[in-house]
């Protein structure tokens, strides 16, 4: 896939913002990456979500190492949450592969809206 030079810079700038948000808040940067991939690269919803997960992985590792070095990780909840996240991640990836892109887009939007409303209250 060929990406015009202007769009490459848009991707780099907003991806840097995504990295900052993920490192600062501990998550959420993937939402920006999905939006970038949908609007700038014109991927379909399923490919954008799958690609965003792969893009966020190294960012998550780097951020986690920084927090580990600073002693900011509580290991007991980390182990339990990791177990749940791995199981949920496998199930979610399997489900995404079976859904139509439009259905994935609706679910993505509903989850974002519900999360935003929950954060407000």
């Amino acid at each position: 896939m060929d990406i015009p030079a202007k769009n490459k810079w848009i991707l780099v700038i907003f991806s840097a913002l995504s990295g900052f948000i993920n490192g600062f808040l501990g998550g959420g940067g993937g939402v920006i990456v999905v939006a970038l991939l949908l609007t700038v690269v014109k991927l379909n919803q399923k490919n954008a979500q799958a690609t965003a997960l792969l893009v966020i992985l190294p960012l998550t590792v780097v951020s986690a190492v920084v927090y580990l070095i600073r002693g900011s990780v509580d290991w007991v909840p980390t182990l339990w949450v990791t177990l749940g996240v791995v199981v949920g991640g496998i199930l979610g990836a399997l489900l995404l592969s079976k859904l139509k892109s439009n259905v994935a887009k609706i679910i993505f939007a509903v989850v974002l809206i519900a999360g935003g409303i929950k954060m407000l209250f």
Side-chain angles (χ1 to χ4, degrees):
M1 166 179 288
D2 190 32
I3 301 172
K6 174 186 168 194
N7 287 358
K8 288 177 184 174
W9 284 109
I10 291 170
L11 290 172
V12 169
I13 291 167
F14 281 95
S15 294
L17 175 63
S18 171
F20 173 79
I21 288 171
N22 216 68
F24 184 70
L25 299 177
V31 173
I32 294 171
V33 173
V34 170
L36 277 172
L37 294 171
L38 289 170
T39 58
V40 176
V41 183
K42 306 293 188 213
L43 292 180
N44 68 45
Q45 185 72 34
K46 288 170 59 172
N47 288 353
Q49 287 175 219
T51 303
L53 286 172
L54 189 58
V55 168
I56 292 298
L57 178 62
L59 163 66
T60 301
V61 170
V62 169
S63 297
V65 168
V66 169
Y67 288 124
L68 278 169
I69 290 169
R70 294 178 179 241
S72 301
V73 176
D74 189 336
W75 285 104
V76 173
T78 298
L79 296 174
W80 287 104
V81 171
T82 299
L83 176 65
V85 168
V86 168
V87 171
I90 291 168
L91 294 174
L94 291 172
L95 178 61
L96 180 62
S97 69
K98 296 185 183 310
L99 292 177
K100 292 184 178 184
S101 196
N102 289 348
V103 174
K105 184 179 280 190
I106 291 168
I107 292 170
F108 186 77
V110 168
V111 169
L112 287 179
I113 291 167
I117 291 169
K118 175 103 169 103
M119 294 286 288
L120 285 173
F121 302 104

